[in-house]
Amino acid sequence: MFPLSHRALAVLSAVLAAGLAACSPRSAEAPAASASASVSMPAETMAASVPPAVAPVQAKKLGKDQAIGVLMDLPELKVWSDRIEKNSKGQSHGALIEFDATPFEHKGKTYYQFSFVENTPEAVQRWENFLIAPDDGEILIEDQISGELLSLARWRKEKQPLQRIP
């Protein structure tokens, strides 16, 4: 297989975004918008440590690229990205894609919608869906079984995401 360029990843992500939106338990709540995608490549290696319980409050509104940066700075996503790349010997990568360009409304608040995916040469596997509020940086994670939205602290406590990859 050959490595994909950033542009090819963006195109692939856009195509996959439409399919991922249909897989979300929330997909019945809001129709999927046109498939647009944002791609972020893995951050540098970070040792697993106890992460803060909440995302830092933002002084100004987050753009989508800034929201991706906030999410990719989460210790869990850094560790996942690093381990995916190491375990695959550089053949697979962790990435964030916007799975629906339409902002999601929850309890009077608007959120950007992203999926963390494992991008392999053969396929893309979704790991988690994340919502991030542009106004204050609040992060919610969608429980893949129940569709319930979990706070970052609850997700960390109940799902123990740093244990996801041995």
Side-chain angles (χ1 to χ4, degrees):
M1 245 332 119
F2 56 92
L4 296 176
S5 68
H6 288 289
R7 180 166 170 68
L9 284 171
V11 170
L12 176 63
S13 295
V15 171
L16 294 168
L20 286 174
C23 295
S24 172
R26 290 184 292 97
S27 63
E29 294 177 25
S34 63
S36 68
S38 299
V39 177
S40 178
M41 296 313 293
E44 294 299 316
T45 305
M46 178 178 172
S49 62
V50 177
V54 295
V57 175
Q58 304 299 317
K60 61 182 181 175
K61 188 171 181 171
L62 293 173
K64 287 183 183 178
D65 288 341
Q66 293 167 318
I68 287 170
V70 169
L71 290 173
M72 287 305 291
D73 281 343
L74 291 175
E76 294 85 356
L77 274 58
K78 286 182 175 185
V79 168
W80 289 354
S81 293
D82 182 56
R83 290 185 184 170
I84 287 169
E85 192 151 332
K86 280 184 179 178
N87 289 347
S88 70
K89 296 181 173 74
Q91 296 298 307
S92 300
H93 306 281
L96 280 172
I97 62 170
E98 182 179 26
F99 70 86
D100 192 340
T102 303
F104 180 72
E105 297 285 331
H106 176 68
K107 296 184 179 180
K109 207 174 201 179
T110 302
Y111 294 85
Y112 296 131
Q113 304 180 75
F114 297 101
S115 289
F116 179 84
V117 298
E118 179 178 354
N119 189 7
T120 72
E122 295 82 28
V124 172
Q125 175 67 42
R126 177 180 55 169
W127 282 39
E128 293 286 354
N129 288 337
F130 292 88
L131 302 175
I132 183 166
D135 291 334
D136 63 6
E138 178 187 21
I139 298 170
L140 300 175
I141 300 89
E142 182 177 32
D143 184 285
Q144 293 183 18
I145 297 169
S146 69
E148 180 182 6
L149 297 176
L150 307 175
S151 69
L152 187 59
R154 182 175 167 200
W155 176 68
R156 286 174 170 160
K157 181 179 178 184
E158 293 179 9
K159 303 296 182 176
Q160 300 179 349
L162 286 173
Q163 303 304 317
R164 186 155 192 168
I165 299 179

